[in-house]
Amino acid sequence: MSARPRTALVVRAALVSVLACGALTACGSDEEALRYATDYANHEPLGVVGYPTSDSLRITQQLVWRLADGKAGEVEALAADPDDARGDVERTARNWIRSFHEGAKGKVTAEFYDEG
């Protein structure tokens, strides 16, 4: 293993530890923050072009992670209003996983233009 990938792995592990520790000490019951830190550690970093808002970056990361994991139910849960046209949301989640699952497991770059 070359020095660069090893360094990146160490930096990534340190960042995850800090995020996890911060999530646990700031709010012991904040499962969402802990899950985010765990997801961050378990997936390829998301490349970013442009200037996303923190919220648009977070939802984009979560969508890519759920597609990579192949979990239709979790993709559905990201819908703005999952109760609207329930069948459409389920069908869309399955179609997206079928189309983007393999690609989402590798390096992904999200492009943000104009406003987030």
Side-chain angles (χ1 to χ4, degrees):
M1 178 180 272
S2 72
R4 184 175 176 149
R6 184 175 295 137
T7 302
L9 183 61
V10 170
V11 169
R12 188 182 212 190
L15 178 60
V16 170
S17 296
V18 168
L19 289 173
C21 182
L24 290 173
T25 58
C27 183
S29 65
D30 191 0
E31 292 177 25
E32 183 66 27
L34 182 57
R35 179 173 185 186
Y36 184 83
T38 302
D39 278 341
Y40 190 90
N42 291 334
H43 295 89
E44 277 287 327
L46 180 68
V48 175
V49 173
Y51 301 96
T53 64
S54 58
D55 289 337
S56 64
L57 177 59
R58 186 180 193 101
I59 193 72
T60 302
Q61 285 178 311
Q62 290 174 333
L63 176 60
V64 171
W65 295 337
R66 301 300 167 259
L67 292 170
D69 294 342
K71 297 180 177 178
E74 292 188 17
V75 172
E76 290 174 44
L78 295 174
D81 189 357
D83 292 330
D84 284 347
R86 187 78 181 149
D88 290 340
V89 173
E90 292 171 12
R91 191 171 26 262
T92 299
R94 286 192 309 272
N95 288 339
W96 282 22
I97 288 173
R98 189 171 27 258
S99 299
F100 303 115
H101 174 68
E102 288 303 315
K105 292 192 295 186
K107 292 194 179 294
V108 175
T109 298
E111 298 178 0
F112 296 87
Y113 295 105
D114 298 323
E115 294 184 27

